[in-house]
Amino acid sequence: MSLLSLEQVSVAFGHNPLLSKISFSAEAGERVAIIGRNGAGKSTFLKVVAGEQIPDEGVVRIEGGMKIAQLPQELPDANEKTVREVVSEGAGQAHHLMKRYFSLLEDFENDHSHELGEIQAELDKIQGWDLEQRVNHMVQRLRLPAEKLMSELSGGWRRRVILAQALISNPDILLLDEPTNHLDVPTIEWMEQQLQQFRGLILFITHDRRFLEKLANRIVELDRGNLISFTGNIHEFLVFKEKLLEEEERANALFDKRLAEEEVWIRQGIKARRTRNEGRVRALKALRQERSERINRQGNAKMAIETKDKSGKLVAEFTQVGHAFEDKVILNPMDFIVNRGDRIGLIGPNGCGKSTFLKILLGDLKPKSGTVRQGTKLNVAYFDQLREQLDPEQTVAENVGEGKDTIEINGQSKHVIGYLGDFLFPPERARTPVKALSGGERNRVLLAKLFTKPANLLIMDEPTNDLDVETLELLEELLMNYDGTLLLVSHDRSFLDNVVTSVIAFEGEGNVKEYVGGYQDWIRQGGKFPAESTSQTDDVPTKKEQAKAEAKKVAEATQQATSKAAASTPKPKTKLSYKLQREFDAMPETIAKLEEEIAALQATTSSPDFYTSDAQNIEQTLAKMADKEQELETMMERWLELETMQNG
């Protein structure tokens, strides 16, 4: 049964149609990724579903009684409210009623019995009396510091809090707009697990390809006002979309050929205007109208980095460099060298010291110990994730041109409007104030501004936020071909894997190590974040928290001692029944057979030709592999269960 349906919905701003008579429906259990170019209407689509944007035409239907909750793109305020209070606010009416109820109870001087009775009746009706219990459950489930103030939390923790706020109402439909923004990798992976457990309908927008791969089981693309829906993962969709675009190009070519032939015919003169040919003339007018209404696919951006004269071979050298803020160790003494041409990724939880590391490397901050030697002929370009280099009141052209009409690119003079066209800003958009742009467009402006400056050392802090897939892939290609030196801070795991040749990992307690390869290579080499890396790194535990930690240590020590004592006493083996013994004996052969079948299926899906085959065959093969993997997991659990029974 569909929880949500849109029928012939249209939304346009000026002459720009974002949604053009689209129809869509979705059911519980679906996790739908909304993808498309920046400005294609993804956020507008979510606003229409949420009821915040009234469509110009069409109907939006939500199944009766269904609750909708949102995780907005913006972070919640760092105010003086407690985490518990902010989470409770997600319950809406129940929260306000409970708050009013307890405030009336505390007013002993006045008689509020009548209003209290009305509130009690309302709480009974909406089953609001268990709100405190639900809040406690949510706080425990998401491991939130319930009594801390929002002003004490990092951006990543505040993102957790508003997720709890969204889930507290037990929604049927969950809307997520760039949920991974401001999150570090451990918290992104934690969020993936939480959302995979959600049983309702999820509609989400994300720039994080690894997050999209893991979460989505259906892809919806908005393209020039139209909606393309595909059940499956993003890789299968891209194969399907490529074939769709090829077919569109063929159809457009045939249409244009026919139109050209008719235009030649109409220019033949009087023959074309005879009465018996009026129908053909009308048909030509219709063809012209159809061609004028065709919205051509937006081209790809054309980015280029101008490299200044090469720097010296040595870019920077750390000799026993260490740093700390008061009693918080950021960097244990380490030796480290950056050479010309290195592409290095910095990974670690929020607040671990990545920005501090860069400031020390650039000489903006003096380390507590050790020395930093900088190379020669360095020209630095810095991409700031907060976009502080942009003036929101100025237009795109004014920000990039810095008051000039022309800019120098690779020794050639180019008009700023023409240059911005390479970054997908048509003239009218180039004259728009930056404050009116979407997040992805602002990132493109910053990239355009950054690449006007020749540089041989490029430092990029979260450059991928809000960029669409095509621009992301272009930026990847650009950075891979960049012959200068790159230092990249990113929580985008795919971007790191595709761009960097080594990573500097901040692994907790000031331990910073260098690994060859990208993010997945770091994992394969045994790299991992600290056990509590998702915690607030600058939080100071309260006395209560410290007492709990000590009590936990004592309990764990006691349990270990008990386990050792129990292990020293041999346990008699339990004899399995005849039927269970037969089942147990047959399992190794069954497990081996399943592993062989899975290996064969994995070999098939790894073939470069696999995703170019029939879509139905792709879907069936992937489904079969998933079933076999689930069967193997169930078999292994059963085997362990019987082995435990046998060994007592």
Side-chain angles (χ1 to χ4, degrees), residues 540-550:
V540 179
T542 62
K543 290 182 179 179
K544 187 175 180 181
E545 289 169 340
Q546 290 174 337
K548 281 185 178 179
E550 290 300 322

Side-chain angles (χ1 to χ4, degrees), residues 332-386:
N332 288 327
M334 68 174 294
D335 296 329
F336 176 65
I337 294 177
V338 181
N339 289 315
R340 183 180 64 221
D342 285 349
R343 296 199 301 273
I344 303 170
L346 277 66
I347 59 176
N350 287 335
C352 66
K354 298 187 292 292
S355 297
T356 301
F357 182 92
L358 290 176
K359 287 177 182 177
I360 292 173
L361 186 143
L362 292 173
D364 296 335
L365 180 65
K366 185 177 176 60
K368 295 291 184 184
S369 64
T371 58
V372 178
R373 182 161 70 101
Q374 286 190 338
T376 57
K377 299 180 182 178
L378 291 181
N379 291 94
V380 182
Y382 180 71
F383 182 97
D384 169 27
Q385 67 162 315
L386 299 178

Side-chain angles (χ1 to χ4, degrees), residues 393-643:
E393 300 300 325
Q394 288 188 339
T395 66
V396 174
E398 288 169 341
N399 269 283
V400 173
E402 297 180 344
K404 302 175 185 175
D405 290 334
T406 59
I407 52 178
E408 290 287 327
I409 300 294
N410 291 321
Q412 295 183 339
S413 179
K414 193 168 187 177
H415 197 282
V416 68
I417 298 295
Y419 173 70
L420 285 169
D422 292 341
F423 288 80
L424 304 183
F425 288 103
E428 66 274 8
R429 202 63 175 162
R431 297 185 179 92
T432 301
V434 165
K435 65 183 179 182
L437 303 181
S438 68
E441 288 175 314
R442 293 186 192 191
N443 260 19
R444 286 212 308 274
V445 175
L446 189 51
L447 287 171
K449 184 180 177 72
L450 186 74
F451 295 162
T452 60
K453 306 287 191 292
N456 52 35
L457 174 57
L458 190 57
I459 296 177
M460 308 194 82
D461 190 356
E462 290 294 348
T464 63
N465 282 352
D466 306 315
L467 292 180
D468 55 48
V469 174
E470 287 91 343
T471 310
L472 261 178
E473 291 175 348
L474 180 66
L475 181 59
E476 280 178 357
E477 184 179 351
L478 188 71
L479 294 178
M480 285 189 287
N481 295 325
Y482 177 57
D483 59 2
T485 305
L486 172 68
L487 292 172
L488 172 68
V489 179
S490 180
H491 299 309
D492 188 322
R493 294 155 288 179
S494 294
F495 194 76
L496 284 166
D497 284 337
N498 294 339
V499 170
V500 304
T501 54
S502 65
V503 295
I504 298 173
F506 291 73
E507 298 182 335
E509 299 180 353
N511 296 319
V512 179
K513 298 179 184 177
E514 186 179 13
Y515 294 81
V516 175
Y519 177 80
Q520 289 301 325
D521 297 303
W522 170 65
I523 296 291
R524 278 192 287 271
Q525 294 173 69
K528 60 181 179 179
F529 293 114
E532 294 300 322
S533 62
T534 52
S535 66
Q536 175 76 1
T537 52
D538 54 0
D539 280 350
V540 179
T542 62
K543 290 182 179 179
K544 187 175 180 181
E545 289 169 340
Q546 290 174 337
K548 281 185 178 179
E550 290 300 322
K552 185 178 179 182
K553 286 181 182 177
V554 172
E556 287 175 349
T558 304
Q559 186 176 359
Q560 287 176 0
T562 306
S563 299
K564 286 180 180 178
S568 63
T569 306
K571 295 182 179 179
K573 289 191 175 183
T574 304
K575 187 174 181 180
L576 295 173
S577 68
Y578 175 76
K579 185 177 178 181
L580 291 179
Q581 188 65 50
R582 287 279 303 272
E583 181 186 356
F584 183 67
D585 292 341
M587 277 187 169
E589 185 179 346
T590 307
I591 289 171
K593 186 178 178 182
L594 280 170
E595 287 174 338
E596 288 176 6
E597 291 177 358
I598 291 169
L601 288 167
Q602 287 174 339
T604 300
T605 58
S606 299
S607 167
D609 300 329
F610 174 68
Y611 288 103
T612 62
S613 62
D614 179 60
Q616 186 175 0
N617 177 57
I618 293 172
E619 189 174 344
Q620 288 175 349
T621 305
L622 292 172
K624 184 178 180 181
M625 187 167 71
D627 291 342
K628 291 293 181 184
E629 287 172 344
Q630 181 61 48
E631 188 179 347
L632 178 61
E633 186 178 340
T634 304
M635 185 69 69
M636 291 296 292
E637 288 175 359
R638 178 61 174 164
W639 185 79
L640 289 171
E641 180 186 353
L642 292 177
E643 186 182 45

Side-chain angles (χ1 to χ4, degrees), residues 28-138:
E30 289 191 293
R31 299 190 296 271
V32 185
I34 314 297
I35 66 172
R37 284 286 181 88
N38 294 137
K42 301 186 295 293
S43 295
T44 300
F45 182 88
L46 289 189
K47 288 177 181 177
V48 167
V49 172
E52 296 175 359
Q53 173 73 49
I54 305 301
D56 299 331
E57 59 178 302
V59 179
V60 179
R61 287 193 174 89
I62 308 291
E63 188 66 27
M66 296 293 107
K67 296 179 185 175
I68 297 179
Q70 295 186 72
L71 185 66
Q73 188 172 348
E74 298 77 20
L75 282 174
D77 294 334
N79 52 34
E80 299 307 302
K81 291 182 179 180
T82 66
V83 168
R84 181 183 298 279
E85 185 178 358
V86 174
V87 173
S88 179
E89 286 174 354
Q93 186 184 9
H95 166 76
H96 296 300
L97 289 172
M98 290 293 289
K99 192 174 180 181
R100 177 63 178 162
Y101 182 81
F102 285 113
S103 69
L104 292 175
L105 287 179
E106 291 172 2
D107 184 7
F108 301 108
E109 298 180 0
N110 298 296
D111 181 15
H112 298 290
S113 56
H114 179 69
E115 188 177 352
L116 284 169
E118 290 179 341
I119 293 174
Q120 286 174 340
E122 281 297 316
L123 286 169
D124 287 336
K125 186 191 301 182
I126 64 173
Q127 299 179 337
W129 292 107
D130 65 344
L131 176 59
E132 186 175 359
Q133 181 183 346
R134 284 158 50 202
V135 170
N136 288 336
H137 171 73
M138 192 59 63

Side-chain angles (χ1 to χ4, degrees), residues 53-279:
Q53 173 73 49
I54 305 301
D56 299 331
E57 59 178 302
V59 179
V60 179
R61 287 193 174 89
I62 308 291
E63 188 66 27
M66 296 293 107
K67 296 179 185 175
I68 297 179
Q70 295 186 72
L71 185 66
Q73 188 172 348
E74 298 77 20
L75 282 174
D77 294 334
N79 52 34
E80 299 307 302
K81 291 182 179 180
T82 66
V83 168
R84 181 183 298 279
E85 185 178 358
V86 174
V87 173
S88 179
E89 286 174 354
Q93 186 184 9
H95 166 76
H96 296 300
L97 289 172
M98 290 293 289
K99 192 174 180 181
R100 177 63 178 162
Y101 182 81
F102 285 113
S103 69
L104 292 175
L105 287 179
E106 291 172 2
D107 184 7
F108 301 108
E109 298 180 0
N110 298 296
D111 181 15
H112 298 290
S113 56
H114 179 69
E115 188 177 352
L116 284 169
E118 290 179 341
I119 293 174
Q120 286 174 340
E122 281 297 316
L123 286 169
D124 287 336
K125 186 191 301 182
I126 64 173
Q127 299 179 337
W129 292 107
D130 65 344
L131 176 59
E132 186 175 359
Q133 181 183 346
R134 284 158 50 202
V135 170
N136 288 336
H137 171 73
M138 192 59 63
V139 163
Q140 290 170 7
R141 176 183 160 190
L142 304 192
R143 304 195 302 275
L144 299 174
E147 306 310 322
K148 283 190 176 292
L149 302 178
M150 293 292 284
S151 59
E152 298 177 292
L153 302 182
S154 70
W157 273 99
R158 281 186 279 148
R159 176 70 68 181
R160 278 194 183 210
V161 173
I162 57 170
L163 177 60
Q165 186 188 69
L167 294 175
I168 193 68
S169 63
N170 193 24
D172 302 286
I173 301 173
L174 190 56
L175 308 179
L176 312 174
D177 193 351
E178 298 289 3
T180 61
N181 275 2
H182 309 286
L183 297 186
D184 53 29
V185 173
T187 312
I188 290 171
E189 292 177 342
W190 168 87
M191 180 177 279
E192 288 169 353
Q193 296 171 357
Q194 295 297 321
L195 295 175
Q196 283 168 346
Q197 297 170 17
F198 183 71
R199 298 305 175 201
L201 167 64
I202 300 177
L203 302 178
F204 70 99
I205 301 167
T206 184
H207 67 271
D208 189 319
R209 288 163 293 178
R210 193 68 56 83
F211 183 82
L212 190 154
E213 289 168 9
K214 289 191 174 182
L215 191 62
N217 55 23
R218 181 178 172 189
I219 309 295
V220 165
E221 182 183 39
L222 291 174
D223 182 14
R224 293 164 286 173
N226 298 316
L227 183 145
I228 302 168
S229 180
F230 181 86
T231 301
N233 62 41
I234 185 64
H235 301 293
E236 297 165 342
F237 171 78
L238 291 175
V239 174
F240 165 76
K241 182 62 188 297
E242 187 175 351
K243 292 179 180 177
L244 205 64
L245 289 175
E246 289 174 0
E247 183 59 36
E248 180 183 342
E249 286 181 9
R250 278 196 296 270
N252 285 343
L254 287 172
F255 180 93
D256 292 343
K257 182 181 178 182
R258 183 184 169 200
L259 177 59
E261 290 171 349
E262 293 300 291
E263 292 288 4
V264 169
W265 170 80
I266 196 70
R267 290 186 179 89
Q268 289 177 351
I270 193 67
K271 292 180 182 178
R273 291 189 288 276
R274 289 177 181 170
T275 304
R276 63 175 180 273
N277 289 322
E278 283 182 0

